[in-house]
Amino acid sequence: PNYAADKMTGAPDVPQPGDHVNAWCPAKSTGVEWCQVTFAQPVFATEVRVRQTNAPGSIIKVEAIATDGVTHVWWEGTDPAKPPTTAHLAWFAVRVPRTPYRVTAIRLTLNLETTAGWEEIDAVQLVGARE
């Protein structure tokens, strides 16, 4: 369905900034929300990239989940995307030294009250190597 969590998987497919049914959107616009994307191929990771397509700027934590289930906090703080309007495309990236563990999922925590409008995420990309 429109705005569903699976809209964050696969290649980016929202053609322009702003509200679009091909992006994930939380069911609420206040409070703290999280989402998790699991990848088919676990990798020794070096980066995660998040394509925010509407009301970017609400990411407050990025966690990597290893194949053994252990969660690793990669980043926590204030999302640097602070556009003047909600219709703004922003890539949020966290780079880390190559992990000694394989990452199978990424969990994003968002503070939905830090931005005006509905936060929408088009894609989450995990960068790394299988070996």
Side-chain angles (χ1 to χ4, degrees):
N2 297 339
Y3 303 107
D6 68 349
K7 300 294 186 177
M8 290 184 288
T9 64
D13 61 354
V14 173
Q16 60 200 28
D19 179 38
H20 199 283
V21 298
N22 283 346
W24 169 73
C25 183
K28 58 185 183 178
S29 63
T30 60
V32 174
E33 182 72 68
W34 64 270
C35 59
Q36 185 169 308
V37 177
T38 301
F39 298 89
Q41 293 292 326
V43 296
F44 295 101
T46 57
E47 184 177 16
V48 64
R49 299 174 186 151
V50 181
R51 188 172 191 248
Q52 302 175 87
T53 55
N54 195 62
S58 64
I59 298 172
I60 59 172
K61 188 188 315 184
V62 176
E63 298 167 284
I65 301 169
T67 54
D68 62 3
V70 175
T71 300
H72 303 268
V73 176
W74 278 6
W75 177 88
E76 196 166 5
T78 302
D79 187 331
K82 298 295 178 205
T85 66
T86 59
H88 183 77
L89 177 65
W91 280 96
F92 178 92
V94 174
R95 291 183 182 96
V96 296
R98 180 184 160 115
T99 59
Y101 50 88
R102 283 189 171 92
V103 175
T104 190
I106 294 292
R107 180 179 301 142
L108 305 172
T109 303
L110 298 87
N111 179 351
L112 303 174
E113 297 178 16
T114 59
T115 60
W118 292 83
E119 169 76 24
E120 294 181 20
I121 296 175
D122 178 30
V124 178
Q125 179 185 25
L126 183 61
V127 179
R130 290 186 207 172
E131 298 298 325

